[in-house]
């Protein structure tokens, strides 16, 4: 018999060189082109150029719409798994109760059989058993449960009678994860980024020979509340100057990026961002909101009162804490008051304060200004989502401090 070639010899106890080469043993080398690597400014989900980019703490960048869709889908999946787990726990509890009932029923039947076993048994002429079929203390009676079990007994050799194996659902994790890094990720941990192109003169000065793509962009992270609070002292000076200018009437024109709203019939006026639009807010006299984010809004309302000044409500800190805790906060919200100040404009006193309302899953931050005049108690509240507050805080404080009362027109 002729010797078989090594390429066709497959009955050996070890792999030949040809077999190893076909199976991919050893180091695999391949040159990757530029299309094999994701661009720096591409979303990790849709792989397209970033639109409204958000970044996770690990540095993975996503489009805002893509990551919100991903996290929302994860939350829906977690909710579905939790519901399935709860249904399984309920079913297991019902099965356990049914087993206990069956056990008690068997004990009662055994007790009943033992008691009837002492009664003499009677047979007819044909030596047949009595109709109950008892034969003394050791007799066995088929109970209704056993008859039902015999009728419904599963047969593993018949496909139609094969029992279905129930898959056990484990308790799912309630944490959403980053689709790129697989670590825990919450919506509030995402922060926006912006890309800035390097100037041509900076490029010429660099001259380090590196690819332009590596030095084309730099990430500018958006500071959150911590940095805003740290810089509050520096910002307070400019804000106080602007509020005093309003008080003295030294700014005849409306500041840039703001519009003024004047209600001469009800005796008040204030500024609001120029890109906001008016809308109807139940129980309020006037309201404006952001065109895209409904939580960013300003609203003014008033109620009749017999008091003549805001100081008639009592000490400022005590009155504001009672107002936020008992009026502004819902039962499921935790209120926190950060800052409060009093200002006087044209002989009228105003209280302006900042507060947060935290609830499971979301938070709202706001400035409020309250004042009393014209026989009315006025309230202006300007709010924003807790995650966007650090970016909008200074802009919205101008709105709160611009609120001013005037005499009612005839």
């Amino acid at each position: 018999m002729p010797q078989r070639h090594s390429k066709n010899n497959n009955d050996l106890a070890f792999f030949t060189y040809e077999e190893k080469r076909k199976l991919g043993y050893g180091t695999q080398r391949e040159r990757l082109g530029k299309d094999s690597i994701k661009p720096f400014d591409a979303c990790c989900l849709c792989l397209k150029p970033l639109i409204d980019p958000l970044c996770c703490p690990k540095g993975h960048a996503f489009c805002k719409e893509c990551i919100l869709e991903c996290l929302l889908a994860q939350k829906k999946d977690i909710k579905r798994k939790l519901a399935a787990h709860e249904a399984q726990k309920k079913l297991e509890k019902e099965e356990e109760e049914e087993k206990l009932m069956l056990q008690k029923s068997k004990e009662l039947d055994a007790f009943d059989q033992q008691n009837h076993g002492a009664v003499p048994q009677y047979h007819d002429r044909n030596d047949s058993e009595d109709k109950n079929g008892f034969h003394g203390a050791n007799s066995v009676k088929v109970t209704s449960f056993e008859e039902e079990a015999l009728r419904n007994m599963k047969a593993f050799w018949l496909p139609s009678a094969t029992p279905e194996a129930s898959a056990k659902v484990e308790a799912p994790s309630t944490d959403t994860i980053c689709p790129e890094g697989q670590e825990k990720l919450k919506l509030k941990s995402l922060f926006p980024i912006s890309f800035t192109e390097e100037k041509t003169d900076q490029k010429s000065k660099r001259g380090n020979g590196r690819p332009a793509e590596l030095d084309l962009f730099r990430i500018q992270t958006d500071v959150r509340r911590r940095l805003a609070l740290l810089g509050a002292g520096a910002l307070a000076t400019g804000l106080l100057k602007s509020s005093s200018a309003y008080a003295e009437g030294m700014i005849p024109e409306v500041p840039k990026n703001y519009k003024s709203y004047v209600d001469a019939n009800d005796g008040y006026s204030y500024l609001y961002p120029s890109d906001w639009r008016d809308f109807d807010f139940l129980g309020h006299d006037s309201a404006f909101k952001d065109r895209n984010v409904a939580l960013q809004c300003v609203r003014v309302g008033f109620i009749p009162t017999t008091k003549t000044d805001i100081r008639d409500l009592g000490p400022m800190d005590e009155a504001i804490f009672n107002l936020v805790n008992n009026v502004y906060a819902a039962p499921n919200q935790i209120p926190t008051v950060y800052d409060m100040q009093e200002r006087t404009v044209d002989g009228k006193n105003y209280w302006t304060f900042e507060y947060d309302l935290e609830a499971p899953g979301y938070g709202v931050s706001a400035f409020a200004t309250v004042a009393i005049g014209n026989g009315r108690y006025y309230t202006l509240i300007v709010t924003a989502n807790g995650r966007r507050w650090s970016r909008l805080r200074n802009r919205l404080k101008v709105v709160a401090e611009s609120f001013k009362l005037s005499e009612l027109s005839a």
Side-chain angles (χ1 to χ4, degrees), residues 38 40-45 50-68 71 177-181 183-195 218-224 387 391:
K38 184 177 74 66
F40 177 72
D41 62 337
C43 172
C44 294
L45 291 173
L50 290 164
I51 301 176
D52 294 333
L54 294 177
C55 188
C56 74
K58 294 292 185 179
H60 304 120
F62 310 92
C63 296
K64 182 177 181 179
E65 184 178 356
C66 296
I67 190 61
L68 292 182
L71 294 180
I177 62 173
C178 175
E180 187 71 11
E183 70 272 358
K184 293 181 181 179
L185 178 65
K186 293 184 178 180
L187 188 60
K188 63 181 180 182
S189 64
L190 294 170
F191 55 90
I193 58 176
S194 60
F195 300 105
R218 70 175 185 271
I219 299 178
Q220 299 175 340
T221 58
D222 173 36
V223 294
R224 299 188 62 79
R387 294 187 295 272
R391 242 188 352 234

Side-chain angles (χ1 to χ4, degrees), residues 334-352:
I334 301 176
T336 304
V337 179
Y338 288 104
D339 184 26
M340 57 187 77
Q341 62 180 0
E342 179 180 336
R343 59 189 175 90
T344 303
V345 180
D346 296 337
K348 292 184 174 61
N349 297 314
Y350 302 82
W351 288 349
T352 300

Side-chain angles (χ1 to χ4, degrees), residues 81 131 192 197 250 260 305 329 342 345 357 373:
K81 290 181 179 179
K131 61 180 181 180
E197 187 175 0
M250 296 176 61
S260 64
T305 182
E342 179 180 336
V345 180
L357 300 177

Side-chain angles (χ1 to χ4, degrees), residues 193-205:
I193 58 176
S194 60
F195 300 105
T196 305
E197 187 175 0
E198 213 173 32
K199 302 298 182 181
T200 54
D201 55 347
Q202 293 178 354
K203 291 180 183 178
S204 59
K205 289 179 181 179

Side-chain angles (χ1 to χ4, degrees), residues 7-263:
K7 291 185 178 182
N8 301 323
N9 186 12
N10 55 6
D11 59 350
L12 299 177
F14 54 89
F15 285 149
T16 63
Y17 172 78
E18 186 66 21
E19 289 171 340
K20 288 183 178 180
R21 191 176 66 82
K22 288 183 177 179
L23 291 174
Y25 274 65
T27 305
Q28 303 295 319
R29 296 182 180 180
E30 185 177 355
R31 184 179 294 275
L32 299 178
K34 65 177 183 179
D35 295 334
S36 303
I37 302 175
K38 184 177 74 66
F40 177 72
D41 62 337
C43 172
C44 294
L45 291 173
C46 66
L47 304 180
K48 296 179 181 179
L50 290 164
I51 301 176
D52 294 333
L54 294 177
C55 188
C56 74
K58 294 292 185 179
H60 304 120
F62 310 92
C63 296
K64 182 177 181 179
E65 184 178 356
C66 296
I67 190 61
L68 292 182
E69 253 184 60
C70 178
L71 294 180
L72 183 61
Q74 290 186 40
K75 288 184 178 180
K76 288 183 178 179
D77 190 51
I78 291 172
K79 187 176 180 181
R80 179 186 59 79
K81 290 181 179 179
L82 285 174
H85 182 64
E86 291 298 327
Q88 177 180 282
K89 288 172 60 178
K90 184 178 179 182
L91 182 61
E92 289 177 353
K93 185 177 179 181
E94 291 177 354
E95 290 178 352
E96 188 66 26
E97 292 176 353
E98 187 177 351
K99 287 180 181 179
L100 291 175
M101 291 178 60
L102 184 60
Q103 182 67 24
K104 290 181 180 179
S105 177
K106 287 182 178 180
E107 291 176 359
L108 288 175
D109 287 341
F111 180 76
D112 189 30
Q113 291 175 11
Q114 187 175 4
N115 288 341
H116 283 79
V119 179
Q121 305 297 321
Y122 298 94
H123 298 267
D124 56 10
R125 296 179 181 178
N126 297 326
D127 292 331
S128 61
E129 302 174 0
D130 63 339
K131 61 180 181 180
N132 292 325
F134 292 120
H135 292 278
N138 296 327
S139 63
V140 178
K141 179 184 177 182
V142 178
T143 64
S144 59
F145 295 99
E146 292 171 340
E147 291 177 356
E148 183 69 19
L150 288 172
R151 285 196 299 269
N152 298 332
M153 182 175 292
K154 303 296 182 181
F156 288 91
W157 53 89
L158 297 178
S160 60
T162 302
E164 297 179 357
S166 57
K168 189 173 182 180
V169 181
E170 300 293 338
S173 173
T174 56
D175 297 319
T176 53
I177 62 173
C178 175
E180 187 71 11
Q182 300 302 315
E183 70 272 358
K184 293 181 181 179
L185 178 65
K186 293 184 178 180
L187 188 60
K188 63 181 180 182
S189 64
L190 294 170
F191 55 90
I193 58 176
S194 60
F195 300 105
T196 305
E197 187 175 0
E198 213 173 32
K199 302 298 182 181
T200 54
D201 55 347
Q202 293 178 354
K203 291 180 183 178
S204 59
K205 289 179 181 179
R206 185 178 68 241
N208 51 16
R210 292 181 297 180
E213 289 79 9
L214 296 180
D215 294 323
L216 185 60
F217 300 109
R218 70 175 185 271
I219 299 178
Q220 299 175 340
T221 58
D222 173 36
V223 294
R224 299 188 62 79
R225 177 181 295 277
R226 297 189 301 271
L227 298 182
L229 293 178
L230 289 175
L235 295 170
T237 305
L239 293 174
L240 289 175
K241 287 180 179 179
S242 64
S243 61
S244 61
Y246 279 115
E248 299 172 5
M250 296 176 61
I251 302 181
E253 69 277 356
V254 177
K256 186 179 179 181
N257 298 327
Y258 290 91
K259 290 183 180 179
S260 64
Y261 178 83
V262 180
D263 191 340

